[in-house]
Amino acid sequence: MHISKLRSRSLIALFVAAFPLRVVDAQLTKPSPDTVPGAPLFTSRDLIRAVGFTGLTIAMFPLDRSIARRLTNERSKANRFLNGASKGVEYIADPGSIVIGTSLYLIGRFTNHPNIEDLGWHGTEAVLLGGGTAWVLKGLTGRARPFVTGDTTAHDFKFGGGFGDADRQAFPSGHTTAAFAAAAAVTSEAERMWPHHFWLVAPPMFGGASLVGLSRMYHDKHWASDVALGAAIGTFSGLKVVRYAHAHPKNFLDRAILRTELIPGPGGPGVAVNASFPLTLH
């Protein structure tokens, strides 16, 4: 019972902190202000999100050990359903987020559906940005994973220790970062394309991302604070990638990726790629 309540509370805390508060925007038929040309990259809502995530991460530090012990006890580990389900959601996050994003991009490109192409590329871009940020922080902080210390020491940090040592790459959670980056990017694009259906997309996306974070704690790979920071990095990566891309539709990456032409290859089957890069030679 205690384990069940703890999981529920942890899931609710992650979901509430990460979920973008867009009740008003979701009811409007006009495009989201986050995705109109010329929109500023950062707004007051970002400050609210940052304060929420910072508070959640700090609040998790004193609870890291107790949460880890309760989620990884023998009774919990013996549950076959939890073992199978947790592995499944992790695969969906990594490498699934990249595979799904790339597939959507290719489907949209080959079937001439720009919105699907846009969704796939920006989701992938957000995951790459979030993953890169998380990798740098993992290396710099060098935090030991829970299983390394037997869930006894949650504050074993070593500056630079995470570069080259996988056992010291706990802070933040990379899987959680990828899951929340994909969730944030997809929901932002959904709000832009289908404003009336935003609430059909956001809950399962962020709910699934929260489950990824819980699964990483369940497998004793991350502390709760690792997951909270990963959720923060992922959410901001997804929101900012989509916001910047639509506020600056002529940015280099979008012009290179989304305006690539696929034409039949000469002399037989195959495809030739004709990319129009935004470069001017003098």
Side-chain angles (χ1 to χ4, degrees):
M1 179 65 71
H2 293 299
I3 296 173
S4 179
K5 288 182 178 179
L6 182 61
R7 287 188 188 127
S8 299
R9 290 172 183 173
S10 300
L11 178 61
I12 292 171
L14 273 175
F15 186 81
V16 170
F19 195 79
L21 301 178
R22 299 182 177 182
V23 177
V24 176
D25 291 344
Q27 296 174 344
L28 300 178
T29 56
K30 65 181 181 180
S32 164
D34 282 353
T35 57
V36 296
L41 185 59
F42 294 98
T43 67
S44 58
R45 287 195 297 177
D46 293 321
L47 178 60
I48 296 174
R49 294 187 185 105
V51 171
F53 276 121
T54 301
L56 179 63
T57 303
I58 294 174
M60 290 296 103
F61 274 113
L63 301 175
D64 277 335
R65 284 201 308 167
S66 62
I67 292 176
R69 287 173 177 174
R70 293 186 180 184
L71 284 177
T72 59
N73 61 32
E74 292 182 1
R75 182 179 178 182
S76 179
K77 290 297 184 182
N79 190 308
R80 292 184 179 180
F81 174 79
L82 289 178
N83 270 293
S86 59
K87 290 178 181 178
V89 296
E90 287 183 12
Y91 282 127
I92 292 175
D94 184 15
S97 56
I98 294 293
V99 173
I100 294 171
T102 303
S103 298
L104 287 174
Y105 167 76
L106 293 175
I107 290 171
R109 169 55 78 181
F110 280 102
T111 62
N112 195 30
H113 285 82
N115 282 340
I116 301 300
E117 178 187 0
D118 184 272
L119 177 66
W121 162 237
H122 291 147
T124 302
E125 189 179 6
V127 172
L128 293 175
L129 174 62
T133 303
W135 180 83
V136 172
L137 289 176
K138 283 173 177 285
L140 291 175
T141 57
R143 188 184 199 181
R145 296 183 185 273
F147 70 84
V148 174
T149 63
D151 301 325
T152 60
T153 305
H155 305 294
D156 184 359
F157 292 87
K158 181 180 179 181
F159 182 75
F163 293 115
D165 186 354
D167 288 346
R168 283 192 170 275
Q169 295 179 352
F171 192 69
S173 166
H175 281 76
T176 307
T177 299
F180 274 89
V186 169
T187 52
S188 291
E189 290 287 8
E191 184 179 10
R192 178 182 67 87
M193 295 184 288
W194 312 293
H196 285 303
H197 301 289
F198 171 78
W199 288 100
L200 296 177
V201 177
M205 290 300 301
F206 279 99
S210 298
L211 288 176
V212 171
L214 286 174
S215 74
R216 297 303 285 167
M217 291 188 286
Y218 174 75
H219 285 143
D220 214 22
K221 297 296 181 65
H222 288 287
W223 306 97
S225 52
D226 301 337
V227 169
L229 182 59
I233 295 172
T235 299
F236 274 96
S237 296
L239 294 177
K240 296 305 110 181
V241 162
V242 174
R243 187 181 185 89
Y244 181 82
H246 292 287
H248 304 83
K250 294 184 179 181
N251 69 83
F252 178 87
L253 286 177
D254 277 11
R255 289 181 63 188
I257 300 297
L258 296 179
R259 284 160 177 68
T260 300
E261 296 180 6
L262 300 181
I263 58 178
V271 175
V273 179
N274 180 20
S276 300
F277 290 91
L279 300 177
T280 302
L281 300 178
H282 297 281

